[in-house]
Amino acid sequence: MPAVDPRITELRHRIDALDAQLVAVLAERVGVVREVSRYKTDEASVRAPDRVEQVVAKVRALADGHGLPADLVERLYRLLIAELTAVELSFVEERTAR
């Protein structure tokens, strides 16, 4: 097996550190989703399509400002929002079932 360039190893460590930060931020976001779900009473208030579009527009602008492909960031956020909407719905259902 050929030797791995030390720079690749260094960059992989940076990626690993960034991944740890991303997961920590996602965990924090889920905590906020759990908290905001306490104020929502039905599926419509959870899905909030106007808010989704507001968030997507905001992150597209942030992506542009950071030189990232806005379409990529939008796809990632739409997936994140869809998954966290399901989580939030389960929080609301759990709370209202009591």
Side-chain angles (χ1 to χ4, degrees):
M1 177 184 277
V4 176
D5 186 304
R7 182 68 178 147
I8 289 175
T9 301
E10 178 186 331
L11 291 170
R12 286 178 177 165
H13 287 301
R14 284 181 58 195
I15 288 170
D16 292 345
L18 290 167
D19 287 343
Q21 290 175 11
L22 285 169
V23 170
V25 169
L26 287 171
E28 185 177 351
R29 196 176 199 286
V30 170
V32 174
V33 165
R34 179 184 294 275
E35 187 173 342
V36 80
S37 73
R38 293 180 185 140
Y39 301 95
K40 297 182 179 181
T41 57
D42 58 20
E43 186 172 343
S45 63
V46 171
R47 293 202 181 277
D50 291 343
R51 173 65 177 150
V52 170
E53 295 310 312
Q54 179 186 42
V55 169
V56 168
K58 178 192 63 167
V59 297
R60 285 185 66 88
L62 288 169
D64 285 339
H66 287 279
L68 292 169
D71 289 344
L72 169 65
V73 172
E74 178 176 345
R75 286 193 305 274
L76 289 170
Y77 260 80
R78 287 195 185 277
L79 175 61
L80 177 64
I81 289 167
E83 293 297 323
L84 290 182
T85 295
V87 168
E88 190 173 358
L89 284 170
S90 71
F91 292 157
V92 170
E93 289 171 13
E94 181 182 298
R95 192 188 76 249
T96 57
R98 293 180 192 164

